[in-house]
Amino acid sequence: MTIHIITDGSSDLTPELASKFGIHIVPLNVQFGDDMYTSDMESKLFYQRMKEESELPKTSSPSPAAFYNMFKSLDADKDIFVLCLSATLSSTYNHALMAKEMYEEEGHPNKVEVIDAKTTSIGLGLLAVRATIMAKAGESLQELNDKMKQLAKQTNTFFSLDTLENVIRGGRLSRLKGSVASMLNIKLVMRAADDGSVEMIEKVRGTQRAVKRLIEKVEEAWQHHADREWIAFAHSNCEERAREFMNMIQESYPFKNVLLVNMGAVIGTYAGEGGLLVTFSQSDAATNE
């Protein structure tokens, strides 16, 4: 492969997946009180601490220096391609651009491209995986940049929140309204909008109804020329439910390649436990893998 692929720690790629595909990860920062961690902290520890703490952890993007140092650590005989979580959700993309400018000003022989993936969690991780496949197939940096920007636009990311507790604790919903919604067993079904922001699709009653709506979203795309090569799933500490959800989709709409991961500290902070996410592309014309 003639291109280094980099993404950030919100991608929820496991160390095993990152190693398998040769993807470099720049972690985000996670803070519980005075205790500092990075987004690659062990999931079991993260969810346990989130249960124990009265306040949600604080998350922050990697510094420009973190990206710059990653660039410097890589062999300069290969170009660098960076995919970042949605710029509407984090300053990570802008910090990566700052690092690119710093690196280029030093006159290094290799080139750097940075894109806003307009998604996060395994939606971002899956784009990074597909970028490595294209790079290994011989795509140039410019070709990869163009195709990945197009693929990012065609990527669908849907998810459901099983609890509103983190939305309440994070100040995005009042305690009173949240308590009423919880009593009514309300679940939120959401998506990554075209601009990369988070958009609520609807509120439904009960976990099973939320799962059904996610499956319907996959079905709608399937009927409109979905790219059936790759699909990825993420869950926030509810693997059994996620596997049932994954199997239901695969039985009706089989994809050739499937990824399943646990949401890490960054996305888990906002999702809370019990969340489900599914991501895939809605076009078959973006890549030649």
Side-chain angles (χ1 to χ4, degrees):
M1 185 166 67
T2 59
I3 301 172
H4 297 295
I5 305 298
I6 299 175
T7 190
D8 64 65
S10 76
S11 62
D12 290 334
L13 288 171
T14 64
E16 294 77 16
L17 285 172
S19 176
K20 176 181 177 180
F21 290 99
I23 299 169
H24 304 280
I25 308 292
V26 178
L28 279 75
N29 306 301
V30 181
Q31 182 175 359
F32 285 95
D34 295 330
D35 296 334
M36 294 293 298
Y37 299 90
T38 58
S39 53
D40 55 6
M41 71 182 293
E42 203 273 323
S43 293
K44 183 177 180 180
L45 172 61
F46 165 71
Y47 285 103
Q48 184 61 40
R49 286 217 59 172
M50 191 165 63
K51 285 181 181 179
E52 296 171 349
E53 298 289 339
S54 59
E55 296 184 0
L56 290 177
K58 297 178 181 178
T59 63
S60 59
S61 60
S63 67
F67 280 102
Y68 171 80
N69 290 335
M70 174 63 80
F71 299 164
K72 290 276 287 185
S73 73
L74 301 175
D75 295 334
D77 60 347
K78 296 181 181 180
D79 292 332
I80 298 171
F81 185 69
V82 188
L83 299 103
C84 296
L85 80 153
S86 173
T88 65
L89 305 178
S90 169
S91 59
T92 298
Y93 170 67
N94 289 326
H95 287 182
L97 288 177
M98 293 170 64
K100 165 183 160 71
E101 183 176 350
M102 293 164 54
Y103 186 79
E104 290 177 339
E105 285 178 351
E106 294 182 347
H108 296 281
N110 53 342
K111 298 178 181 179
V112 180
E113 292 289 353
V114 181
I115 71 165
D116 173 3
K118 300 187 183 301
T119 186
T120 189
S121 186
I122 197 59
L124 173 61
L126 181 55
L127 287 173
V129 166
R130 299 188 74 169
T132 65
I133 294 171
M134 292 185 208
K136 288 177 180 177
E139 300 283 1
S140 69
L141 183 64
Q142 187 58 57
E143 290 170 334
L144 183 62
N145 186 57
D146 293 342
K147 288 188 176 183
M148 290 309 301
K149 283 183 177 179
Q150 183 64 22
L151 189 58
K153 291 179 182 179
Q154 296 164 340
T155 294
N156 294 269
T157 303
F158 298 100
F159 58 99
S160 66
L161 300 184
D162 195 58
T163 175
L164 300 180
E165 181 61 25
N166 284 36
V167 179
I168 297 169
R169 291 169 67 190
R172 294 174 177 80
L173 185 66
S174 73
R175 175 65 63 177
L176 177 60
K177 290 182 179 179
S179 297
V180 171
S182 295
M183 285 190 294
L184 294 174
N185 199 24
I186 297 296
K187 314 298 179 185
L188 302 183
V189 180
M190 313 178 83
R191 67 182 288 267
D194 292 342
D195 65 354
S197 62
V198 174
E199 177 182 78
M200 186 176 71
I201 301 174
E202 60 185 290
K203 302 173 184 177
V204 299
R205 295 280 294 275
T207 300
Q208 292 306 312
R209 178 58 181 164
V211 170
K212 182 179 178 182
R213 288 298 292 132
L214 292 178
I215 293 173
E216 288 171 352
K217 290 300 177 182
V218 177
E219 180 179 19
E220 289 170 11
W222 187 269
Q223 295 174 350
H224 294 86
H225 308 293
D227 177 347
R228 303 172 190 182
E229 287 291 325
W230 288 90
I231 190 167
F233 302 84
H235 64 91
S236 48
N237 213 32
C238 57
E239 183 174 352
E240 183 176 350
R241 180 187 299 169
R243 287 194 177 278
E244 291 176 358
F245 171 50
M246 178 181 71
N247 290 337
M248 283 190 286
I249 288 182
Q250 282 295 94
E251 287 174 3
S252 299
Y253 313 104
F255 284 72
K256 293 181 181 178
N257 302 284
V258 184
L259 300 179
L260 173 65
V261 300
N262 196 359
M263 293 180 194
V266 175
I267 306 306
T269 293
Y270 300 98
E273 292 198 64
L276 296 175
L277 179 149
V278 59
T279 184
F280 53 92
S281 173
Q282 198 170 324
S283 172
D284 58 5
T287 62
N288 294 306
E289 298 174 12

